[in-house]
Amino acid sequence: VKSIAVLTSGGDSQGMNAAVRAVVRSAIYYGLDVYAVQRGYYGLIHDDIRKMDLRSVGDIIQRGGTILQTARCKEMMTLEGQKTAADNLRKRDIDGLVVIGGDGSYQGADKLAQLGIKTMGLPGTIDNDISYTDYTIGFDTAVGIVVDAINKLRDTMSSHERASIVEVMGRHCGDIALHAGLASGAESILIPEVPFNVEDVADRMKENFVNGKRHSIVVVAEGVGSGEEIAKSITSRVNIDARLTVLGHIQRGGTPTHKDRILASQLGDFAVRQLIAGDSGKGCGVINGQLVATDIHKVITTKKEFNMDMYELALRLSQ
Ligand code: F6P
């Protein structure tokens, strides 16, 4: 490839800017022309593309959000949209594209690869729901935000001897809930990967209060349903004052952790090098510390492996 473009797509995540910076600076380092697409696939279809230089990505490594903005784009699901997107790249002689986003974004990259554009996907999502990578860009920061929120909730909950039910994001994946739950010492972690019943959660809470606990933290992944419904169902079974906190989009903002910045920098540079080596249609990731590029079709059709050992550990430690 001689010329590549980069875009961010789907829900934003902390570290996307660091990834954009890495793609732009590595591409220039290796002698490529590099373009940025504004507003994800929407901008690609509507031709919102501009040339980047070293300074266009200055002072962004520490910023949350994405300077390229992002969108969830229905047009990209149609063949017509995909062809227009590919044509807009070709008319500028751009032959490679790095897509930073979640699995919906990877599907677009897969389609463009089939239309002859050399594509690389970078896992940019707080959900950690992408297979063939241990971590996605933004996950570490999001988990840190949840842990920090739970620390604060603990203070006030124990003063009042209350229970706190905390709903976290993650779509169909329980990783944010699991990692944040383990790191914050939650009593129960309700996630889509492990069936649960509310009676057991309530019984556990009652028993723990009887045994001297002064507060209780239940983390609910949004993938198991509404936190409000679950909170109601728990409170109807216990005589404990329980309060619901829905953390929402707070989890997607703020400065990325050093881990997310490093992961984004490594993967951005890796994607550029893979394109230069002639590779295409791959999703980049990190497995046991090694950078890997996996067939994007395989990535989007494989469910992320669930870490049952970690779940059991959290359970053992939360008595
Ligand atoms: O995929 C990231 C994510 O934040 C999910 O955790 C959540 O379900 C969804 O996006 C929220 O989407 P939106 O920002 O469009 O409301």
Side-chain angles (χ1 to χ4, degrees):
V1 295
K2 293 213 163 50
S3 180
I4 66 166
V6 57
L7 62 80
T8 51
S9 161
D12 63 355
S13 73
Q14 306 93 334
M16 276 186 163
N17 281 326
V20 169
R21 171 182 178 270
V23 170
V24 169
R25 296 234 168 126
S26 289
I28 293 171
Y29 177 85
Y30 291 114
L32 306 182
D33 283 337
V34 58
Y35 292 80
V37 182
Q38 203 69 19
R39 291 190 191 83
Y41 290 121
Y42 178 87
L44 192 53
I45 292 170
H46 295 272
D47 211 16
D48 195 352
I49 303 173
R50 66 178 189 279
K51 185 109 187 269
M52 301 294 269
D53 59 33
L54 289 173
R55 297 279 70 79
S56 351
V57 290
D59 199 24
I60 66 167
I61 194 169
Q62 79 284 13
R63 283 165 59 186
T66 161
I67 59 157
L68 301 187
Q69 300 179 283
T70 180
R72 301 193 197 275
C73 176
K74 290 221 169 74
E75 280 167 283
M76 192 58 193
M77 291 174 186
T78 66
L79 184 60
E80 204 189 328
Q82 292 153 15
K83 282 186 173 157
T84 309
D87 288 345
N88 285 336
L89 291 171
R90 278 202 196 96
K91 74 182 186 200
R92 290 182 176 82
D93 292 324
I94 300 171
D95 39 12
L97 176 69
V98 179
V99 172
I100 307 167
D103 60 352
S105 316
Y106 274 32
Q107 285 174 24
D110 190 29
K111 299 290 181 206
L112 288 173
Q114 288 165 25
L115 292 173
I117 304 292
K118 293 201 180 336
T119 59
M120 283 289 145
L122 294 192
T125 165
I126 61 166
D127 299 338
N128 211 34
D129 59 347
I130 307 227
S131 59
Y132 295 97
T133 186
D134 291 341
Y135 297 107
T136 57
I137 299 163
F139 175 67
D140 188 64
T141 310
V143 169
I145 291 169
V146 176
V147 171
D148 183 52
I150 294 177
N151 290 343
K152 290 171 177 148
L153 287 167
R154 255 173 191 282
D155 290 346
T156 170
M157 293 301 147
S158 61
S159 305
H160 291 264
E161 302 199 58
R162 283 174 172 159
S164 186
I165 291 147
V166 188
E167 183 192 301
V168 303
M169 281 186 166
R171 212 179 281 273
H172 305 297
C173 178
D175 273 20
I176 295 180
L178 174 59
H179 287 243
L182 173 59
S184 62
E187 180 178 272
S188 296
I189 301 171
L190 311 185
I191 49 180
E193 293 85 350
V194 183
F196 65 91
N197 97 47
V198 176
E199 318 252 276
D200 295 343
V201 178
D203 286 349
R204 200 148 190 244
M205 194 181 277
K206 279 192 270 190
E207 201 181 304
N208 283 338
F209 267 83
V210 169
N211 290 335
K213 268 206 175 182
R214 290 184 24 231
H215 64 275
S216 168
I217 308 282
V218 178
V219 180
V220 179
E222 64 176 354
V224 303
S226 136
E228 198 178 338
E229 293 301 317
I230 290 170
K232 269 193 207 146
S233 167
I234 295 174
T235 41
S236 69
R237 290 174 168 86
V238 295
N239 193 17
I240 296 162
D241 190 3
R243 302 300 173 97
L244 171 70
T245 303
V246 179
L247 291 177
H249 288 84
I250 296 273
Q251 293 160 96
R252 288 229 307 254
T255 187
T257 60
H258 74 278
K259 275 197 180 174
D260 277 329
R261 298 181 198 193
I262 290 170
L263 181 63
S265 302
Q266 290 175 321
L267 288 178
D269 173 73
F270 180 66
V272 171
R273 286 189 284 113
Q274 291 300 114
L275 286 172
I276 291 170
D279 206 0
S280 174
K282 298 284 166 67
C284 302
V286 62
I287 299 178
N288 294 330
Q290 298 296 313
L291 300 177
V292 293
T294 309
D295 183 71
I296 212 159
H297 200 69
K298 205 164 149 189
V299 175
I300 53 186
T301 52
T302 309
K303 202 170 163 3
K304 170 118 188 173
E305 230 173 90
F306 178 67
N307 190 341
M308 199 61 188
D309 288 345
M310 188 180 282
Y311 179 80
E312 283 167 357
L313 171 64
L315 207 61
R316 284 202 296 283
L317 301 183
S318 64
Q319 301 165 59

